[in-house]
Amino acid sequence: MLIMNNDVAISSLVRQNIRELVPYASARDEFSGSAEVYLDANENPHNPPLNRYPDPTQVHLKELIASMRGQHAGNLFLGNGSDEAIDLLFRVLCEPGQDCVITVDPTYGMYGVCAAVNDVQCISVLLRKDFSLDAGAVLAAVDESTKMIFLCSPNNPTSNSLEMGAMLEIIDKAPCMVVVDEAYIDFSSEHGLLSLVPEKKNLVVLQTLSKAWGLAGIRLGMAFAHPELIRYMSAVKYPYNVNSLSMAEAEKALGKEEEKKAWLENILLERERLSLDLSAFGFVERVFPTDSNFLLVRMKDARRIYSYLQNSGIIVRDRSSVPLCEGCLRITVGTSEENGLLLDALEKYEQDKQINKP
Ligand SMILES: *Cc1c(COP(=O)(O)O)cnc(C)c1O
């Protein structure tokens, strides 16, 4: 175990080649004001507005998102989904074949995939059986080569929020970056850790427009962190990593707070109804408490039910072979109509089972 305080110098965690990197300077980096005639980027003069390269620094959208979240734009990285931010964190911080990261499992699969792609070892620490976070176990797994600890809260696929106290203990004691993935924070009763970004140098908070904002298709993810780390991530990203269409859609959506609030209310109501109705089935052993927009449900014959639903045209996620999620399906909360169809299909499954009983 290697415990220090969290006053880590960010540059000491960054790979040497990245510290020394001279980033690509695009035409729009060299001149960012506004002019009458643009003959600097070899763009086609026809087909406006998509003939122009987008703003590589995403100044306007960053200002909008940062102010909505009560943060400074300098603390914000925007990427092609949170997945880009996750991958960039590996590329900025982790020396391939040498450094390692810690994931707290079961959790989102992309941390492990990005680790493997970047040839970085991924140490797995399990949540407790009740899906709570064991800060001591996580800290015990830290050593000199640990560059990041991934915490996902609310966690996918267990659907619960991790305890604030345990997360803070890890952030305060770990001598590395702690990445808290808050993809589902808008569905949660917790406030999340975003407000701590300005004071915790080793904290990275990931959020996304893919879930509560209903914009998975535009691929827009956010990383909030210390400006020094944001600068390294920005230096490594593709120059035009967020395209014009995505930026325009994001800006439109940010103006529709009311609509988003109504969606959220609806999803939370449906979540309660679905949770209650699922609990009533004889084959359902447990609907786990949820702080997100999906339910983790333990049932008898999970795999068979998964196939039965699939044959009825309803796709859920089979998590039955994931450690601690044995016998579980992960079910996203849909519209009232979609949830009704799911419940109807399960009703039918239960009846068929009665009929086929020996
Ligand atoms: C869905 C999800 C995301 C979203 O990723 P994007 O690339 O932003 O779409 C991130 N983290 C977790 C844990 C998720 O479940």
Side-chain angles (χ1 to χ4, degrees), residues 2-246:
L2 186 80
I3 306 288
M4 311 196 314
N5 61 40
N6 81 327
D7 193 24
V8 199
I10 286 175
S11 61
S12 75
L13 292 172
V14 170
R15 295 166 64 195
Q16 187 178 347
N17 62 317
I18 303 299
R19 263 181 287 162
E20 293 168 355
L21 179 73
V22 180
Y24 174 73
S26 72
R28 288 302 125 78
D29 280 318
E30 287 181 3
F31 178 82
S32 61
S34 77
E36 195 118 340
V37 181
Y38 285 101
L39 301 175
D40 58 342
N42 297 349
E43 294 154 333
N44 191 317
H46 309 290
N47 199 34
L50 293 181
N51 60 329
R52 298 294 173 194
Y53 280 103
D55 172 13
T57 58
Q58 304 123 7
V59 173
H60 184 59
L61 183 56
K62 276 188 179 175
E63 291 289 347
L64 283 177
I65 292 178
S67 78
M68 171 187 76
R69 291 303 203 202
Q71 294 286 313
H72 293 291
N75 290 100
L76 175 58
F77 170 86
L78 296 181
N80 185 350
S82 349
D83 291 343
E84 184 186 4
I86 294 167
D87 187 54
L88 277 173
L89 286 165
F90 277 96
R91 291 163 66 199
V92 165
L93 297 168
C94 300
E95 202 56 57
Q98 183 179 315
D99 289 334
C100 69
V101 302
I102 296 173
T103 58
V104 185
D105 294 307
T107 194
Y108 188 44
M110 273 308 282
Y111 316 137
V113 171
C114 284
V117 167
N118 288 285
D119 192 16
V120 169
Q121 199 195 347
C122 191
I123 313 273
S124 171
V125 175
L126 283 184
L127 288 168
R128 294 197 189 93
K129 262 204 163 88
D130 64 357
F131 301 150
S132 64
L133 174 63
D134 184 345
V138 172
L139 289 167
V142 173
D143 70 18
E144 293 79 5
S145 59
T146 310
K147 287 295 184 74
M148 289 191 277
I149 298 170
F150 284 93
L151 304 175
C152 183
S153 181
N155 185 43
N156 177 4
T158 59
S159 76
N160 59 309
S161 288
L162 304 180
E163 302 84 326
M164 185 69 86
M167 287 197 285
L168 285 177
E169 184 182 347
I170 292 170
I171 294 163
D172 284 340
K173 292 184 177 167
C176 62
M177 299 307 295
V178 179
V179 182
V180 180
D181 188 339
E182 296 189 345
Y184 300 99
I185 196 67
D186 294 283
F187 304 104
S188 169
S189 51
E190 305 276 337
H191 292 299
L193 295 179
L194 197 50
S195 64
L196 295 180
V197 165
E199 61 185 271
K200 307 279 186 196
K201 225 175 171 179
N202 64 332
L203 172 62
V204 181
V205 173
L206 302 179
Q207 295 189 355
T208 179
L209 297 190
S210 293
K211 307 285 156 66
W213 291 90
L215 287 172
I218 72 168
R219 311 303 304 129
L220 206 118
M222 296 103 80
F224 296 89
H226 191 280
E228 200 179 338
L229 183 65
I230 298 293
R231 281 195 294 274
Y232 283 119
M233 293 171 76
S234 304
V236 175
K237 77 179 178 71
Y238 289 159
Y240 308 105
N241 63 326
V242 181
N243 70 66
S244 317
L245 297 172
S246 295

